[in-house]
Amino acid sequence: MTYVTYADLWKPAEQSRTWLYNLALILGGSLIIGLCAQVSIPLPFSPVPITAQTFAVLLAGILLGHRRGMLCVATYLAEGLAGLPVFSNGGAGIAHLLGPTGGYLVGYLGAATLVGWLAEQGWDRKFSTTFLAMLLGNVVLYISGLAWLAVFTGVEQALPLGLYPFIPGDLFKIAIATATVPLGWKFLVPSDRR
């Protein structure tokens, strides 16, 4: 059984408007990810900054579903590759994908897709499964990011530079999503639309 996502709730009934609605969600979501990337705290010991974009990517997946979430992230990456300053600290260009943080950027695709698919299976309806969905999205992101970071830092340095400093912040972001997303279904969405 496939559940609706938040984005599906307000999808226009007319098929001719659906593509415009989806396009607006994808473009809007990509811009939000780009804005959240600017909320960045550089770490003097690591090439990977702390940003809010992970939160935006996972929310894009859970709110939009796997297809729109993935397209949202793909659009964000395309914007950055095209030269728009959407990567952390206003960065742009292929150097960001080929640099030490490139694995995290590419990992956003898998993370948003997985979290979106889990939301379509109803995982965003309860606190426990929302937490688990967001955690699994982070795992996908970390696998991709750490594997690529290890190319630059060596395997022994990848975890202290690209994982350990980020765990508390990521758990905080997951807690915020876990506390709000299921409540939305309970209080904001009529029972006949769930």
Side-chain angles (χ1 to χ4, degrees):
M1 176 177 180
T2 300
Y3 290 78
V4 297
T5 62
Y6 277 98
D8 294 324
L9 292 172
W10 296 282
K11 188 168 60 171
E14 296 176 36
Q15 199 69 349
S16 61
R17 291 183 169 179
T18 301
W19 72 271
L20 187 58
Y21 175 77
N22 288 332
L23 181 64
L25 290 176
I26 291 164
L27 289 176
S30 72
L31 294 176
I32 290 170
I33 294 170
L35 287 172
C36 287
Q38 306 319 306
V39 179
S40 177
I41 302 168
L43 299 176
F45 57 87
S46 175
V48 183
I50 294 173
T51 68
Q53 74 191 112
T54 304
F55 183 66
V57 165
L58 296 176
L59 274 183
I62 211 159
L63 297 176
L64 303 180
H66 83 279
R67 286 183 190 93
R68 285 179 293 227
M70 185 270 303
L71 289 170
C72 182
V73 173
T75 302
Y76 163 73
L77 295 175
E79 291 163 352
L81 288 174
L84 295 176
V86 295
F87 297 143
S88 66
N89 297 315
I94 189 75
H96 284 273
L97 279 180
L98 299 178
T101 60
Y104 295 96
L105 292 170
V106 172
Y108 289 153
L109 286 166
T113 304
L114 174 62
V115 171
W117 182 81
L118 291 172
E120 292 166 355
Q121 308 313 305
W123 283 43
D124 62 341
R125 303 313 200 264
K126 296 189 306 188
F127 295 110
S128 60
T129 51
T130 298
F131 179 84
L132 188 55
M134 300 293 270
L135 187 64
L136 289 171
N138 262 307
V139 168
V140 168
L141 171 64
Y142 279 134
I143 289 170
S144 175
L146 292 169
W148 186 246
L149 181 62
V151 171
F152 294 88
T153 66
V155 173
E156 66 284 345
Q157 288 299 308
L159 293 177
L161 296 178
L163 175 66
Y164 301 145
F166 302 94
I167 291 173
D170 285 340
L171 287 174
F172 178 71
K173 295 175 221 176
I174 289 171
I176 291 171
T178 299
T180 56
V181 171
L183 280 177
W185 285 110
K186 212 172 244 188
F187 296 111
L188 300 176
V189 181
S191 60
D192 64 328
R193 304 285 315 262
R194 290 184 208 165

